[in-house]
Amino acid sequence: MATLTVRNLPDDVHRALRLRAAEHGRSTEGEVRAILAEAVKTPEPRRLGDALAALGREVGLTDDEITMLEASRDRTTAAPVNLD
């Protein structure tokens, strides 16, 4: 496991880290590890359906409007591509 040394940490930042660590029941070092892990964590990938549903809620689409959008979709089968 890697070791990281942080130099020239201002006293007020160190004090705030110690207080935050105490609030979370961790050592100062453990709190710094938790902060760093959270800062670099990649977000969970969103599924397309979840993203579209969230967008619909955000813009305030009603069930009637969604029904109209579904009814207006072109449902004809696409012609196959001719590669000749």
Side-chain angles (χ1 to χ4, degrees):
M1 198 167 274
T3 301
L4 175 68
T5 301
V6 179
R7 291 184 172 83
N8 301 321
L9 190 64
D11 290 336
D12 59 328
V13 173
H14 186 255
R15 192 175 313 109
L17 281 170
R18 283 193 342 241
L19 290 172
R20 182 174 164 156
E23 289 172 358
H24 294 130
R26 295 190 269 244
S27 66
T28 304
E29 187 176 322
E31 187 66 19
V32 170
R33 277 193 301 269
I35 291 169
L36 290 173
E38 183 63 31
V40 298
K41 184 172 69 172
T42 57
E44 291 288 323
R46 280 178 79 178
R47 296 184 319 200
L48 180 59
D50 293 338
L52 291 174
L55 179 62
R57 285 190 298 274
E58 187 177 311
V59 297
L61 287 176
T62 65
D63 288 341
D64 291 336
E65 291 169 324
I66 292 172
T67 302
M68 286 187 340
L69 287 171
E70 289 174 348
S72 68
R73 279 185 23 200
D74 181 8
R75 297 185 190 278
T76 57
T77 305
V81 176
N82 185 357
L83 300 175
D84 293 332

